[in-house]
Amino acid sequence: MPLINLNTFEELGELANKHEWLLLDFWAPWCAPCKVMNPVLEKFSELNPDNAVIKVDVDQKHEIAAKFGVRAIPTLVLLRRDQFMGQETGSRSLNDLNRWIDGLKQKVSHLA
């Protein structure tokens, strides 16, 4: 699944109706660590088609970033439908990203 650019907060609700897992990437075009994360997110999206990877440009969509309390970039937020599961700041490798997400998903399966 290709990366999705989020335009409105309402779109997030529509995406949550279509996908169980949403990974939001809060970024900006001038942010060097964000540029490093982009190919990682593209590969993650390719390998995990059940996850919607959603890009949020904080310069353009600062109100959405504010709703999630984003204070630094890159910031990743994992949602299960519309439920907040976790948030991490900083760039990471594909292995680290997979470990973080798998860990959060395992917590959910243990709670169910």
Side-chain angles (χ1 to χ4, degrees):
M1 167 177 278
L3 303 181
I4 301 165
N5 288 307
L6 189 66
N7 294 308
T8 66
F9 196 73
E10 290 73 30
E11 281 181 354
L12 193 56
E14 294 169 16
L15 289 165
N17 288 332
K18 294 177 187 172
H19 305 279
E20 181 177 8
W21 295 98
L22 308 172
L23 178 62
L24 281 67
D25 171 36
F26 291 91
W27 69 286
W30 47 264
C31 168
C34 299
K35 291 176 185 176
V36 170
M37 273 305 295
N38 205 53
V40 172
L41 293 168
E42 287 174 352
K43 187 66 173 175
F44 176 83
S45 180
E46 178 185 315
L47 296 172
N48 299 279
D50 57 325
N51 294 279
V53 180
I54 302 162
K55 308 276 291 171
V56 183
D57 181 339
V58 297
D59 288 341
Q60 300 291 320
K61 308 299 176 196
H62 53 272
E63 69 284 350
I64 297 172
K67 287 185 187 224
F68 284 94
V70 173
R71 300 173 135 277
I73 53 173
T75 292
L76 300 173
V77 173
L78 184 67
L79 303 175
R80 183 176 187 196
R81 304 254 183 237
D82 60 355
Q83 183 180 6
F84 176 85
M85 302 307 299
Q87 182 170 325
E88 286 286 317
T89 301
S91 61
R92 60 198 62 250
S93 70
L94 182 58
N95 286 339
D96 288 344
L97 179 61
N98 280 318
R99 260 194 302 275
W100 177 65
I101 291 173
D102 290 345
L104 292 172
K105 287 181 176 183
Q106 285 179 358
K107 284 182 185 177
V108 170
S109 67
H110 290 333
L111 296 174

